[in-house]
Amino acid sequence: MSAIEMKPGIQNLGSGYGPGEAPRWADYSKCVHCGLCLNACPTYRELSLEMDSPRGRIYQMIQVDRGRLPLGESFVRHIDLCLDCRACETACPSGVEYGKLVEAARGQIEKYYQRPRLEAWWREVFFRELLPHPRRLERLGRLLRFFQRSGLERLVAAGGALGLLPGRFASLSRLAPRLEKPFFFARLGTTVPAVGERRYRVAFLAGCIANLAFARLNEATVRVLARNGCEVVIPPHQGCCGALHVHAGIRDLARQLARRNIEAFLTEDFDAVLTNAAGCGSVLKEYPQLFEEVEPEWRERAAAFSARVKDVTEFLVACGFRRDFRAVAARATYQDPCHLGHAQGIWQAPRELIRAVPGVELVELKESEVCCGSAGIYNVVHDEMAERLLENKMRRLDETGAELILTANPGCLLQLRAGVARSPNRARRVLHVVELLDEAYGHSPDLGQPRVRRAAVSSTSIARAQEEDADGRSNSGAAGAP
Ligand code: SF4
Ligand code: SF4
């Protein structure tokens, strides 16, 4: 029997991984199987199964490489259940870069394993037909907003229809954020001037779904940056960063999206490229990894781009943020997003910002470094495990007695808000650290109407150009360029 379960039409190559990026000996051989990562791993903590631990998963990757385990259903199940939270990297004394390994393993699964038809279909629609296309996202956003505001959503919920949906779709409806207009897409291609003396000229990555679901958070981020002497450029041809694709093993499309952003952000020598999403930031900083084995001609540009990327909390602390805050009286706690802490090593910057706000009493959250179960779209596709992790997190949050829950990643915001919404204490607020700063600065300055940088660029033409880029029909050579 072949070790590789092949997709129809793919040449059977015998045992081991297929051609293309795969977990490499140079990376997995660093693992000495000591097991010190086990108790850091959320899935191992829940299931106590070696196969669902970092060490067990690495062992399975090695077995596939040696042709002793098929790249089949069992391997896929254990690799899929990993959150890619990278807590094991923080715990590992041998410096195993587990994220690289699991993402490469998922790349192999994506190429050589035939998923069940329904799953393959939704993955195709979500990752390839929706996320890379701003205009489609915007249209979907309008539809969802109508659904939420027209009363239809309440009707469906009251009728019990949500309970009839399979678990993962019921989760989706529970987690869906309130969509508020105007969507942030309208801001693409605009520049927001610094308040007072300009100290920096920075570029802001607005994300993909965040343009719909976190438009207010994006606005708050830009306001806070402007308040701190930044002229904030929001490049028009930017798009989805590809983080969800990297985590899902869809590396070809992740590279395409990376090339688009590299082109969009390297038009000028910005002091920094900033994001408020930890998951996006970690992948943006790791763009060069996408070009290690494929399209090496992009490696240098990817490295130049990644060197400029900073999380907004990291940047504000490094640049010496303004401290002319109003008091915000609250007992607060902070949940570390996995991709800020474990992946980027940023633990102190958000806490320093929070502590600087007068009136805020920061209470440390026990197990703050353990994943809340959000993990990109994990809470939709693995809703049972995500639920268990969220329940644990809510117990820990209750212990703090905090009425203000802070984090620094949109995905975590959604997960924690869903937890608070069904808890007895629904009055608790869940905010991004930057939203707290914005509030403490008094929500100023007013961003006013979007000021389009180039007269010929409208938001519609921007969206069209992005869509063409993502389709590979390059209007500027971005997506199709070498
Ligand atoms: S990944 Fe690191 S901590 Fe875990 S078993 Fe291997 S060497 Fe030990
Ligand atoms: S990335 Fe997270 S879930 Fe996956 S093996 Fe490591 S600690 Fe466990």
Side-chain angles (χ1 to χ4, degrees):
M1 187 182 71
S2 162
I4 299 179
E5 266 183 36
M6 309 306 273
K7 279 187 175 175
I10 293 175
Q11 193 193 351
N12 188 332
L13 292 149
S15 62
Y17 293 115
E21 298 149 287
R24 292 183 306 197
W25 185 86
D27 295 319
Y28 67 63
S29 63
K30 288 183 195 160
C31 176
V32 296
H33 311 295
C34 65
L36 290 174
C37 53
L38 265 59
N39 283 326
C41 174
T43 56
Y44 181 79
R45 289 159 66 109
E46 287 302 312
L47 303 173
S48 303
L49 278 178
E50 176 72 17
M51 300 285 263
D52 286 311
S53 77
R55 180 175 65 181
R57 289 186 176 112
I58 292 171
Y59 179 77
Q60 292 168 82
M61 289 176 208
I62 297 170
Q63 295 309 303
V64 172
D65 202 10
R66 293 182 180 163
R68 295 179 190 154
L69 180 71
L71 201 157
E73 197 266 335
S74 163
F75 180 67
V76 172
R77 194 172 61 250
H78 296 297
I79 295 297
D80 273 0
L81 196 65
C82 168
L83 295 136
D84 200 359
C85 68
R86 295 166 69 169
C88 44
E89 288 190 23
T90 303
C92 177
S94 304
V96 173
E97 293 175 85
Y98 176 85
K100 255 173 122 170
L101 287 169
V102 77
E103 285 156 15
R106 286 178 175 171
Q108 285 283 313
I109 292 168
E110 177 66 14
K111 267 184 166 170
Y112 300 115
Y113 177 74
Q114 183 68 62
R115 289 184 183 273
R117 199 166 291 171
L118 181 62
E119 189 181 352
W121 174 80
W122 76 250
R123 284 174 68 96
E124 177 74 18
V125 169
F126 179 70
F127 288 114
R128 295 189 184 274
E129 300 299 328
L130 185 61
L131 285 187
H133 305 281
R135 276 200 302 169
R136 292 180 199 172
L137 275 173
E138 197 166 0
R139 259 180 254 136
L140 179 70
R142 270 190 247 121
L143 268 176
L144 281 175
R145 189 164 175 273
F146 173 75
F147 177 70
Q148 290 176 343
R149 288 172 63 96
S150 63
L152 272 173
E153 186 186 35
R154 248 178 296 130
L155 217 62
V156 170
L162 291 179
L164 302 176
L165 292 172
R168 63 185 52 169
F169 295 104
S171 309
L172 190 59
S173 64
R174 202 170 50 243
L175 293 162
R178 311 304 303 171
L179 300 188
E180 289 170 18
K181 280 198 140 185
F183 297 148
F184 200 79
F185 285 120
R187 295 265 171 207
L188 300 188
T190 69
T191 297
V192 175
V195 174
E197 185 199 348
R198 187 183 96 173
R199 298 163 66 206
Y200 303 99
R201 184 167 158 83
V202 301
F204 178 63
L205 181 108
C208 49
I209 296 172
N211 281 291
L212 307 170
F214 291 98
R216 303 293 83 77
L217 166 60
N218 279 355
E219 285 170 4
T221 307
V222 171
R223 274 194 299 267
V224 166
L225 289 168
R227 181 93 181 183
N228 279 282
C230 295
E231 182 177 39
V232 186
V233 179
I234 309 166
H237 296 297
Q238 62 172 292
C240 171
C241 69
L244 291 176
H245 302 83
V246 170
H247 298 151
I250 307 173
R251 297 181 72 83
D252 58 337
L253 186 48
R255 259 187 291 280
Q256 197 178 317
L257 297 170
R259 290 195 306 259
R260 177 168 77 182
N261 281 323
I262 292 167
E263 290 276 6
F265 284 87
L266 284 187
T267 50
E268 288 184 45
D269 194 15
F270 293 114
D271 293 311
V273 173
L274 300 176
T275 173
N276 56 23
C280 304
S282 76
V283 165
L284 293 169
K285 287 179 178 180
E286 291 172 355
Y287 268 177
Q289 286 181 14
L290 285 170
F291 301 101
E292 272 179 10
E293 292 179 46
V294 183
E295 303 175 59
E297 65 276 16
W298 274 85
R299 215 178 293 152
E300 212 175 295
R301 299 185 73 194
F305 169 83
S306 295
R308 286 180 174 78
V309 175
K310 296 265 182 293
D311 183 78
V312 63
T313 60
E314 177 187 20
F315 177 82
L316 286 168
V317 167
C319 77
F321 60 97
R322 289 176 63 156
R323 290 170 186 259
D324 50 346
F325 296 119
R326 301 176 181 183
V328 178
R331 183 177 171 89
T333 194
Y334 172 70
Q335 158 69 15
D336 286 286
C338 299
H339 281 87
L340 198 62
H342 301 301
Q344 300 184 57
I346 300 172
W347 303 97
Q348 290 312 318
R351 289 175 168 82
E352 191 173 333
L353 293 168
I354 296 165
R355 286 201 183 97
V357 177
V360 173
E361 179 199 354
L362 179 63
V363 188
E364 281 297 338
L365 173 68
K366 280 191 188 140
E367 298 178 351
S368 168
E369 75 291 352
V370 178
C371 184
C372 63
S374 167
I377 57 166
Y378 190 97
N379 47 3
V380 177
V381 294
H382 296 289
D383 53 302
E384 278 178 33
M385 177 60 73
E387 273 298 305
R388 290 166 74 155
L389 299 178
L390 180 57
E391 273 173 27
N392 296 343
K393 189 60 63 184
M394 295 312 297
R395 264 196 301 277
R396 289 300 189 194
L397 287 167
D398 291 346
E399 284 167 13
T400 66
E403 67 249 26
L404 177 58
I405 299 166
L406 297 161
T407 189
N409 185 47
C412 309
L413 286 173
L414 286 185
Q415 179 80 339
L416 298 174
R417 281 175 186 162
V420 167
R422 63 182 193 210
S423 74
N425 184 1
R426 295 173 58 179
R428 286 177 285 187
R429 295 199 300 158
V430 184
L431 295 180
H432 193 291
V433 172
V434 161
E435 289 175 303
L436 168 68
L437 299 187
D438 187 44
E439 195 173 315
Y441 283 134
H443 297 285
S444 61
D446 186 355
L447 294 185
Q449 289 304 307
R451 179 158 62 83
V452 177
R453 220 159 30 128
R454 288 196 289 270
V457 181
S458 68
S459 64
T460 313
S461 66
I462 291 162
R464 191 174 304 122
Q466 287 175 323
E467 210 143 298
E468 286 172 358
D469 281 353
D471 287 342
R473 302 188 309 270
S474 172
N475 65 348
S476 62

